[in-house]
Amino acid sequence: MEAAGYRVVAGYLAPTHRSHLARKRVEALADAHRIKFLDCACAAEPGPPAGWLRCDPRGFDYYTSECMISKLLEPELGKEFPGIVGFSVKGADVAGYWRSNDHRWELPCVVISRAGTELSALFLETLASKPHLILIETTLDGDFSSTKLRNALLCSDENTVRELCPEQVAEQLLAEARAGTLFPASSHKLPGLVVGISGAPGCGHASLANKLCTKLCGWEAASEEDCCWVLSQAWYRKFSEAEDTWVERGDSWLRTWESPSLTDWDRLLEDIQDSAAKHPVVLVEGFCLLHDARVRELLQCVIWLNLEEETSLKRQEHCPKGWSLEDYGKECVWPAHCCRLSTLFGPGTVPGATGVLSHLATDSFLFLQDDGHEEHLLDVATDALRRWRAEAEGAVSPGTTRSKRSLLDVAAEPAEEPGSCKQFHKACKVAGLSAENEHDANSR
């Protein structure tokens, strides 16, 4: 970085929850252990400046490094270093999957390449044309990996652990491995409470899910590691050439990212079922999470984050190639959201009373209006989640019994004409969910 003309003032290792790793079907260290070992490794990293590399548990609250940089680190560090630029760090194997029109090519990034990695001509050409993309080729080969370290710990291969880790970290890892406390084993036996979190574009459903998980469990207590699990619809994105992934605009066809066909619903469904068999609470978040009838059938409770159109569109940060952010928001993002609202809630007077969410009991549905008070919304959602969990563990059904009517039948019925967002806000006011009493958690 310094050779490229930058002065490095800080570096961050920002871990995600174990659930992000477990979706790869691998054993993952307890979050508390990961924080401890990363802190130890960072402390051993020489300067200058001293202590420049650090582990930041706030990574739990952000789905991507780019999001953490733009929403947290740049504003925070910018007070001391005006105009600071944050770079995400990626492996060449990850960046190599990006398509030529991927928005991530436009963001500052350091790409790390292992020895012997073959980089495509398109990849190298793109790198050369983007001054904010820096390629660092290392002497590390493919044998130097987290997979190799994980296998060494599981097989008690102490020599390999010491070869791959700084001395202090290796000794701590081996001590925990000998004690059998390194990889948490879930004692959960009953099917877990599955809660869906969705809402308007830009509402922060991913951030809320991660913060709820952290608040419910706390990464400090390894014994509570498995109390909550997070699954994100974004992890199940897939490439699709379906008709609804394109929009005709003038003389050309442009991509849209709003189509549900870009999600691998079968794999998401399988992971929800698998996670619910292992963990007391499973939080599933996504912008069109409630589209798939089979997924809806698994959700016992739903948290909906509502956002006004103007605020939602201001929060849009990315769009497919060929669009401007403003045009994409007005022509694709918000219209798609309004169609989802009509399908989910129908034209009824109470959210959940009609539409495909009619199977949910009133007190199994939490409507939150984004008023800019994030901590207040988090507190209200946490209280609801704890209540739902207590009811589930006490074998008490939240609210009334779920309707026996098939959700597939409901979803297959002719849809009403897409309702406007004004109708939805009016419905919320009739239900007593207007902004006037937004600080009254009990009435919600």
Side-chain angles (χ1 to χ4, degrees):
M1 292 292 290
E2 291 174 345
Y6 292 93
R7 179 168 69 94
V8 178
V9 297
Y12 294 86
L13 297 177
T16 56
H17 283 290
R18 283 184 65 242
S19 52
H20 180 72
L21 301 174
R23 73 187 178 94
K24 302 179 181 179
R25 302 287 197 270
V26 298
E27 290 286 346
L29 299 185
D31 285 339
H33 288 322
R34 292 164 60 214
I35 298 295
K36 180 175 70 174
F37 300 138
L38 287 171
D39 280 338
C40 183
C42 290
E45 180 67 19
W52 74 275
L53 186 62
R54 65 204 73 172
C55 172
D56 194 334
R58 294 178 297 177
F60 289 148
D61 298 335
Y62 297 89
Y63 174 62
T64 66
S65 57
E66 291 86 359
C67 182
M68 184 175 180
I69 288 169
S70 63
K71 295 187 176 181
L72 175 67
L73 297 179
E74 285 183 336
E76 186 175 271
L77 293 172
K79 297 174 183 177
E80 183 178 357
F81 305 100
I84 194 169
V85 177
F87 282 75
S88 62
V89 180
K90 309 284 186 186
D93 55 338
V94 174
Y97 286 115
W98 297 350
R99 297 181 176 277
S100 59
N101 62 347
D102 196 299
H103 71 275
R104 286 171 290 191
W105 286 120
E106 306 303 322
L107 304 174
C109 182
V110 176
V111 180
I112 308 293
S113 174
R114 301 174 190 266
T117 301
E118 292 188 14
L119 304 174
S120 69
L122 175 62
F123 182 83
L124 293 172
E125 180 183 336
T126 305
L127 277 174
S129 65
K130 308 285 186 181
H132 55 272
L133 299 178
I134 299 174
L135 175 64
I136 298 178
E137 298 183 272
T138 71
T139 57
L140 301 175
D141 58 26
D143 249 7
F144 195 93
S145 67
S146 58
T147 300
K148 185 176 181 179
L149 175 59
R150 186 183 303 109
N151 292 337
L153 289 166
L154 291 170
C155 299
S156 301
D157 183 351
E158 296 190 5
N159 290 334
T160 300
V161 173
R162 290 192 173 93
E163 174 190 334
L164 295 173
C165 298
E167 181 180 354
Q168 297 144 309
V169 177
E171 293 308 319
Q172 290 190 40
L173 278 169
L174 291 171
E176 296 282 1
R178 294 186 196 105
T181 57
L182 203 55
F183 297 98
S186 175
S187 59
H188 178 61
K189 301 297 182 184
L190 299 175
L193 173 72
V194 182
V195 179
I197 304 177
S198 190
C203 67
H205 42 73
S207 178
L208 178 63
N210 286 325
K211 289 179 180 179
L212 279 173
C213 185
T214 300
K215 202 159 186 178
L216 190 65
C217 301
W219 59 262
E220 300 92 338
S223 61
E224 293 293 322
E225 189 63 37
D226 277 0
C227 71
C228 188
W229 208 245
V230 177
L231 294 174
S232 172
Q233 177 194 339
W235 297 346
Y236 301 87
R237 296 284 281 181
K238 68 176 184 180
F239 179 72
S240 173
E241 285 288 359
E243 184 178 346
D244 62 357
T245 65
W246 294 93
V247 174
E248 186 174 11
R249 196 165 189 263
D251 297 331
S252 59
W253 286 85
L254 300 178
R255 276 284 189 187
T256 174
W257 292 335
E258 310 311 304
S259 170
S261 64
L262 294 171
T263 297
D264 188 339
W265 296 104
D266 290 339
R267 197 158 60 89
L268 174 57
L269 184 73
E270 179 184 340
D271 281 359
I272 293 175
Q273 293 169 324
D274 182 60
S275 299
K278 297 177 180 177
H279 307 284
V281 178
V282 179
L283 304 177
V284 193
E285 63 84 10
F287 78 101
C288 63
L289 175 70
L290 304 173
H291 167 81
D292 190 271
R294 300 166 301 167
V295 170
R296 291 197 303 270
E297 184 71 44
L298 295 178
L299 302 179
Q300 293 149 281
C301 305
V302 170
I303 298 175
W304 181 269
L305 291 166
N306 199 54
L307 198 61
E308 299 299 329
E309 178 180 1
E310 182 180 0
T311 306
S312 174
L313 297 183
K314 281 182 179 178
R315 292 184 182 177
Q316 297 302 306
E317 297 179 340
H318 309 297
C319 61
K321 186 177 181 179
W323 291 96
S324 68
L325 276 176
E326 182 180 1
D327 289 346
Y328 183 69
K330 291 181 177 179
E331 296 180 34
C332 294
V333 175
W334 198 253
H337 170 61
C338 290
C339 287
R340 286 194 294 271
L341 280 180
S342 177
T343 302
L344 295 174
F345 300 104
T349 57
V350 180
T354 58
V356 298
L357 289 181
S358 58
H359 70 289
L360 285 173
T362 302
D363 56 359
S364 296
F365 181 94
L366 177 64
F367 178 95
L368 296 175
Q369 178 67 42
D370 188 332
D371 56 2
H373 297 86
E374 291 186 16
E375 288 304 315
H376 170 68
L377 296 180
L378 178 60
D379 288 342
V380 174
T382 302
D383 289 343
L385 187 57
R386 284 175 174 155
R387 174 172 59 82
W388 291 334
R389 182 184 178 187
E391 290 172 339
E393 291 180 346
V396 178
S397 299
T400 57
T401 306
R402 285 171 61 120
S403 169
K404 294 182 180 180
R405 189 182 185 194
S406 167
L407 285 178
L408 293 172
D409 293 338
V410 175
E413 291 177 358
E416 299 282 345
E417 289 189 11
S420 69
C421 296
K422 289 182 179 178
Q423 287 177 314
F424 182 66
H425 298 322
K426 180 180 178 182
C428 294
K429 289 181 179 179
V430 172
L433 297 170
S434 62
E436 286 84 279
N437 64 346
E438 61 191 8
H439 293 293
D440 185 350
N442 290 326
S443 69
R444 285 170 180 262

